[in-house]
Amino acid sequence: MKNASFKQSRRDFLANSVAATGGLAIGMHIPSAVAQKTGVLEGAEVNIWVVVNPDESVVIRYARSEMGQGSMTSAPQLVAEELDVDWRKVRIEYADTNRHVRLKRAWGDMATVGSRTIRTSQDYLRKGGAAARMMLVSAAAQQWGVPPGECTAAGGVITHAASRRRTTYGKVAAAAAKLDPPKDIALKDPKDWKIAGKSLRRIDIPASVNGAQRYGVDTQLPGMVYAAITKSPVFGGKVKSFDDSRVKTRRGIIKVMTVEGDAVAVVADNWWRAKEALKDVQVDWDTGANGGVSSTSLLEFFKAGLAAPEAALLPNRKGDAEKAIAGASKVLEAEYFTPFLAHAPMEPLGATVHIQQGGRVDVWASTQSGEAMLAGVANVLGVPTDNVYFHKTQAGGGFGRRSFPDFARQAALIARSMPVGTPVKLLWSREEDMQQDNYRPLAMYRLKAGIDASGHVVAWTTRIASGSLAAQLLNLPLKNGVDGPATEGFAEFPYEVPNQRHEYIQRRTHVPIGFWRTVGWSQSPFAREGFIDELARAAGRDPYELRREMLKDEKRPLGVLDAAAKAAGWGRPLPKGVFRGIATTEPYGSFTAAVVELSVDGKGGVKLHRVVQAIDCGYAVNPDNIVAQIEGSSVWALTAAMWGEITVKDGRIEQGNFDTYRLLRMREMPKVEVVIAPTGGFWGGVGEPGQAPFIPAMTNAILAATGKPVRSLPLKNQGFTLV
Amino acid sequence: MIKLNINGRQREVDVEPEMPLLWVLRDVLDMKGTKFGCGIAQCGACTVHINGEPVRSCSFPVSAAEGQRVTTIEGISRNSNHPVQVAWVEHQVPQCGYCQSGQIMAAVALLRKKPNPTDADIDSAMTNICRCGTYARIRKAIHAAARTNRGAAKAAKA
Ligand code: FES
Ligand code: FES
């Protein structure tokens, strides 16, 4: 907070400006205890998003996390656009989490999930930038004694043309900071954008090429000790006892302890010593009731869900599907399966906690939610959130795993067991990460449809059996028994079918489940779009044309489908043995479609020749970053399609490291062409949507090549390899 | 005491000989550019050079590094101006960036051996994992860095 000047008179303006700019906390009052006197008052905080320094450099605050998705650059692009500042003079810093909580969440939502950073904050980010610009212009106008409306701003310079006077943001910032924030804020038409909408280079990349980037696990403090941990391998199990006699006297070992009753940690003066010792601590686990669960027993449980007489009905029911199926000239039925999956972000999980005399707690970790971290640590230590200072770092991938503070809670408890003032860094091994994840839920789908004599799909029923993230992870009540994430792709079924009924049945597992990049949209399109191709085949229709017919009133899904098909040259002849597949999806406010071209050899070797991905995300704030996200999403999806599975035996996870949880490598990377087809007028996400159509486009191409539908993932279990 | 030569500097560390070089770098010497990803020589996030050869430091005992030249990401250039680093920024390769120290170390070693690598050379030398999926850009950046090197070589001859 070095750059911020906090003056008594500013506090209400900050509050008002938040209310005015985002409508986030109307009527919020910031208590006077919040005012922070900082040593150096270099800059003036015009509002919570913008600090202007006398040297004309500008600090733009970024409130979410950066884990590779690029929004630490693209979100400030929106602020800078409206601020009319010279981008080369912009520095970006994280909004302070502690102050955020004290200011009653002044910066809005910090959670970096659901491809939301742009689409749910664009309005208040742009207004934050525009309000700051208006205040800077007003301050200049006041000094000159002219109406603000006669002044213009560009590149950090304010001009009054009539009197040929000009000044700069740096010169008027202190005065601007004292003004009331404007009430009516007009935003630019995106077609006039000069900073937003451009492929500006990501601000965090230079530090990623020379080793300077600091991730959570890179934290090092004087006097710090290191902890390695192992939690009950059977979820829900407890520590009965442990024997540390073999390691106690080893070099560097400080202590061995139980954490939260379900984990054992070794604390040492070096992490390697701690984790080596942990291997030799004998833990007696009370595995509880779940020691007998296996992938086979889980499969039975999910199948029973598909067959159960009753399930929760989704509200989009139309017509009478049973009757229409009974009268159809062709009826198709299929069951699709998608496994549990682990996130495995490249940076293993970890957190550093420093509890000081006097009660201040500092936490460093890579996270997707600074607020959740702060609250989690405060909660487990039983201290007020005001005492907890969370230091956000770049995250080495997140993909949904880092939204929850489980590892920071463990680190806090270990730190509390140490002499006050001892910083503790807890680092998980890769095996711990793999075996103590919140996994993408296992899901099964039973689909049934009827086709009439002229090849139209007249009826469709869906039964989804899956875990409920709302109920099981977030402890929220299910509305009419329906889980949102699990029914993505079916809840707003875009295809026109006169008779349709979609159902959901919850399957609660002892395996913990979590949000995994692209969530329900990472799995339901495999079933939905796969079945569309099965229907097309049964009806003797082209799968692209059948989709077009069923989407004829859905402008955007149809538009993106056409964009992908056109870029891929759908319908043009392919070399012998090469086949195409297509799929379309509507995830996270965006619309994505993919075409995959592949061949399959006699031994099940799949060779990808070409991947075309199209996205309509409304407005494209940083096009090159969108391309990068879709390239990355394609890798993510292909990895899951080929090899991704987490299996259970004796209640525990069978996979442990990258030798048993295979990830895609360079030699397997297909060529991915990305078509950005933004139609404007809305704001869609970009971090996840690219994954959604990939797998079904690929499996549909396999169907075209082999004549056999793929209904279960991963492909390695169906006799396929990637060549 | 184990004597090490890291990025041209002499360092002495008092650790077990079997401690992997990775943990000596990270925890003992506070050199955090070299990353931990798996600990079992699978991912390459911990790649450093021993006498110019890429090595996975998580599975390389520190005693074996004695008397050898160790180079880490911090040591490949003074101002991020190694052609590989320049190409990495030019092509906006990193996403989260966590694997990229290792990717860059692998790429630098590849280009030293094969100044004009083919795609097949890249496929066989670049076995590091990137969970964010930056492979396409890594490939482009390696070709770009190779072009820069060729340009520099030509200029030197002329
Ligand atoms: S950490 Fe060394 S190869 Fe993964
Ligand atoms: S850039 Fe994130 S793992 Fe490679």
Side-chain angles (χ1 to χ4, degrees):
Chain A
M1 295 283 94
K2 251 190 266 120
N3 295 296
S5 81
F6 295 87
K7 299 193 186 71
Q8 192 70 17
S9 58
R10 290 284 312 127
R11 274 178 256 124
D12 289 343
F13 294 137
L14 291 177
N16 292 340
S17 112
V18 170
T21 54
L24 287 164
I26 307 289
M28 172 184 76
H29 179 74
I30 301 163
S32 56
V34 167
Q36 297 183 6
K37 274 274 171 238
T38 50
V40 223
L41 295 184
E42 322 175 311
E45 186 179 59
V46 182
N47 63 25
I48 57 167
W49 300 103
V50 175
V51 176
V52 180
N53 294 316
D55 68 356
E56 306 298 336
S57 65
V58 172
V59 175
I60 294 180
R61 302 247 174 76
Y62 174 62
R64 310 248 185 181
S65 299
E66 178 60 60
M67 49 186 171
Q69 86 282 21
S71 43
M72 191 170 190
T73 303
S74 52
Q77 278 180 260
L78 292 174
V79 179
E81 177 64 55
E82 295 291 342
L83 182 59
D84 273 321
V85 72
D86 180 348
W87 180 255
R88 287 166 303 183
K89 296 200 174 123
V90 170
R91 268 198 311 114
I92 297 161
E93 69 173 27
Y94 287 114
D96 180 79
T97 310
N98 180 281
R99 188 174 166 224
H100 173 69
V101 172
R102 288 168 187 258
L103 294 184
K104 305 210 168 23
R105 311 187 72 220
W107 276 279
D109 193 355
M110 284 194 161
T112 313
V113 297
S115 301
R116 283 204 310 232
T117 295
I118 297 295
R119 64 195 179 105
T120 67
S121 24
Q122 50 82 17
D123 185 63
Y124 58 78
L125 290 173
R126 292 189 296 149
K127 284 179 177 161
R133 182 199 67 234
M134 291 165 79
M135 290 159 76
L136 290 158
V137 168
S138 290
Q142 269 179 23
Q143 279 172 17
W144 294 329
V146 301
E150 290 179 7
C151 302
T152 55
V157 176
I158 304 163
T159 308
H160 184 243
S163 63
R164 296 196 170 168
R165 277 179 292 193
R166 60 205 294 280
T167 188
T168 58
Y169 284 4
K171 295 203 180 89
V172 298
K178 296 193 186 101
L179 299 177
D180 283 334
K183 294 225 165 45
D184 298 318
I185 301 172
L187 297 175
K188 292 183 186 175
D189 186 326
K191 73 177 183 331
D192 300 325
W193 282 350
K194 293 186 192 70
I195 297 173
K198 301 284 177 293
S199 293
L200 300 183
R201 289 181 172 193
R202 279 181 37 196
I203 61 108
D204 55 318
I205 281 184
S208 295
V209 305
N210 60 13
Q213 189 76 265
R214 284 290 169 272
Y215 300 85
V217 300
D218 295 330
T219 308
Q220 183 150 337
L221 301 168
M224 186 173 88
V225 298
Y226 301 76
I229 199 161
T230 183
K231 193 166 153 178
S232 170
V234 177
F235 306 107
K238 297 271 169 246
V239 179
K240 253 197 247 166
S241 63
F242 63 81
D243 173 7
D244 59 358
S245 53
R246 286 175 63 200
V247 308
K248 254 194 183 140
T249 56
R250 273 196 207 167
R251 179 171 178 188
I253 302 305
I254 297 166
K255 71 148 99 178
V256 183
M257 62 183 285
T258 303
V259 182
E260 295 196 282
D262 61 6
V264 173
V266 176
V267 183
D269 63 352
N270 168 294
W271 189 73
W272 177 77
R273 290 183 185 127
K275 75 117 187 167
E276 287 297 301
L278 188 57
K279 287 190 210 158
D280 291 327
V281 176
Q282 304 297 320
V283 187
D284 189 6
W285 300 104
D286 171 2
T287 54
N290 299 312
V293 180
S294 67
S295 284
T296 319
S297 69
L298 284 164
L299 201 64
E300 290 307 310
F301 175 53
F302 278 71
K303 280 200 166 196
L306 291 185
E310 291 290 318
L313 190 63
L314 272 62
N316 56 347
R317 173 187 192 161
K318 249 195 232 159
D320 187 337
E322 270 69 32
K323 204 169 132 206
I325 284 173
S329 62
K330 252 187 202 164
V331 175
L332 241 69
E333 193 167 0
E335 262 176 43
Y336 286 79
F337 169 88
T338 59
F340 288 121
L341 291 173
H343 297 83
M346 209 67 220
E347 179 197 4
L349 302 181
T352 301
V353 176
H354 184 206
I355 305 175
Q356 296 181 45
Q357 198 86 51
R360 176 179 165 126
V361 181
D362 286 87
V363 184
W364 291 259
S366 293
T367 185
Q368 290 176 245
S369 176
E371 292 172 275
M373 281 283 166
L374 193 147
V377 169
N379 170 281
V380 75
L381 293 179
V383 302
T385 51
D386 280 7
N387 291 15
V388 183
Y389 292 80
F390 180 73
H391 306 274
K392 212 180 265 178
T393 61
Q394 178 107 353
F399 314 118
R401 178 61 181 93
R402 294 188 204 276
S403 306
F404 296 89
D406 49 335
F407 45 98
R409 288 169 60 95
Q410 292 176 335
L413 290 173
I414 299 167
R416 192 172 64 188
S417 80
M418 295 295 295
V420 178
T422 313
V424 173
K425 172 156 81 182
L426 170 69
L427 174 61
W428 283 22
S429 66
R430 175 59 62 195
E431 290 77 7
E432 188 70 4
D433 167 63
M434 202 68 79
Q435 296 177 345
Q436 301 295 340
D437 199 353
N438 299 312
Y439 304 87
R440 202 253 326 251
L442 192 160
M444 290 190 75
Y445 306 82
R446 176 174 288 170
L447 306 175
K448 196 170 177 181
I451 306 168
D452 70 12
S454 50
H456 300 293
V457 180
V458 292
W460 179 304
T461 66
T462 307
R463 167 74 67 93
I464 304 165
S466 175
S468 163
L469 291 166
Q472 193 177 328
L473 179 72
L474 305 175
N475 253 320
L476 297 171
L478 291 187
K479 200 170 163 215
N480 301 321
V482 176
D483 181 73
T487 56
E488 283 170 346
F490 291 99
E492 281 165 52
F493 195 72
Y495 292 110
E496 194 187 299
V497 180
N499 302 284
Q500 49 179 293
R501 198 193 66 223
H502 309 279
E503 296 171 340
Y504 168 73
I505 185 161
Q506 189 194 344
R507 301 278 91 182
R508 189 182 280 270
T509 55
H510 88 295
V511 176
I513 54 175
F515 291 88
W516 187 91
R517 190 180 194 180
T518 320
V519 196
W521 282 108
S522 76
Q523 46 197 156
S524 65
F526 168 61
R528 187 187 91 181
E529 295 295 302
F531 199 52
I532 292 269
D533 268 49
E534 291 197 40
L535 292 170
R537 220 177 159 75
R541 316 255 327 250
D542 176 89
Y544 168 51
E545 291 304 332
L546 179 64
R547 281 182 178 80
R548 295 206 76 223
E549 173 188 297
M550 294 171 73
L551 291 171
K552 65 179 188 305
D553 298 325
E554 297 280 338
K555 189 171 127 227
R556 283 171 174 142
L558 185 62
V560 81
L561 178 72
D562 285 345
K566 182 163 169 249
W570 187 269
R572 276 211 299 268
L574 285 165
K576 197 168 172 311
V578 179
F579 296 86
R580 285 193 188 99
I582 192 166
T584 192
T585 51
E586 316 79 45
Y588 309 108
S590 283
F591 303 89
T592 45
V595 175
V596 170
E597 294 177 8
L598 54 73
S599 51
V600 183
D601 66 26
K603 286 183 282 187
V606 176
K607 184 171 169 51
L608 296 186
H609 298 275
R610 192 179 174 207
V611 175
V612 177
Q613 287 255 37
I615 182 168
D616 177 2
C617 51
Y619 295 112
V621 178
N622 187 319
D624 183 56
N625 186 53
I626 297 171
V627 171
Q629 284 306 300
I630 291 179
E631 289 167 350
S633 294
S634 304
V635 172
W636 187 265
L638 178 55
T639 303
M642 284 310 309
W643 309 292
E645 67 171 338
I646 285 289
T647 53
V648 183
K649 194 178 169 204
D650 301 330
R652 56 191 81 190
I653 300 305
E654 292 188 281
Q655 290 69 26
N657 204 319
F658 296 137
D659 52 346
T660 46
Y661 192 70
R662 174 113 140 64
L663 303 180
L664 186 117
R665 292 175 202 259
M666 175 68 85
R667 64 171 191 279
E668 295 143 347
M669 175 72 195
K671 205 165 144 359
V672 177
E673 299 158 44
V674 179
V675 181
I676 304 180
T679 53
F682 69 100
W683 300 78
V686 304
E688 298 171 279
Q691 192 193 165
F694 184 101
I695 293 180
M698 180 177 174
T699 50
N700 286 340
I702 294 177
L703 168 62
T706 64
K708 278 191 231 107
V710 180
R711 292 173 177 164
S712 180
L713 294 176
L715 289 164
K716 75 170 167 82
N717 295 351
Q718 309 301 313
F720 294 105
T721 56
L722 193 62
V723 296
Chain B
M1 280 292 175
I2 295 172
K3 290 196 179 64
L4 297 170
N5 173 341
I6 303 174
N7 300 332
R9 267 184 74 192
Q10 298 300 321
R11 312 291 299 252
E12 282 193 10
V13 291
D14 169 21
V15 297
E16 300 85 324
E18 69 271 23
M19 184 182 287
L21 178 59
L22 172 66
W23 299 107
V24 175
L25 292 170
R26 286 185 58 81
D27 287 2
V28 180
L29 300 172
D30 194 14
M31 296 176 70
K32 297 294 199 286
T34 306
K35 302 301 187 195
F36 163 58
C38 67
I40 59 162
Q42 279 282 322
C43 73
C46 63
T47 305
V48 300
H49 294 171
I50 304 282
N51 302 327
E53 288 291 320
V55 155
R56 297 194 167 172
S57 65
C58 69
S59 307
F60 192 85
V62 62
S63 52
E66 222 174 347
Q68 322 283 321
R69 257 182 322 111
V70 180
T71 311
T72 70
I73 183 75
E74 292 92 347
I76 59 164
S77 73
R78 243 180 241 293
N79 310 309
S80 300
N81 55 3
H82 189 286
V84 169
Q85 291 170 306
V86 172
W88 244 243
V89 173
E90 191 63 38
H91 290 271
Q92 295 282 287
V93 172
Q95 287 188 26
C96 81
Y98 193 81
C99 73
Q100 299 295 342
S101 294
Q103 304 280 7
I104 289 170
M105 295 311 282
V108 168
L110 164 66
L111 287 172
R112 199 172 291 145
K113 228 181 245 159
K114 302 218 158 138
N116 295 308
T118 60
D119 279 339
D121 293 332
I122 293 174
D123 285 345
S124 60
M126 299 299 291
T127 57
N128 294 15
I129 293 173
C130 175
R131 185 61 161 147
C132 298
T134 63
Y135 300 113
R137 288 175 186 229
I138 290 175
R139 186 187 300 282
K140 264 191 223 148
I142 291 175
H143 285 308
R147 277 195 302 275
T148 310
N149 284 341
R150 284 202 293 275
K154 245 190 222 154
K157 265 190 211 148

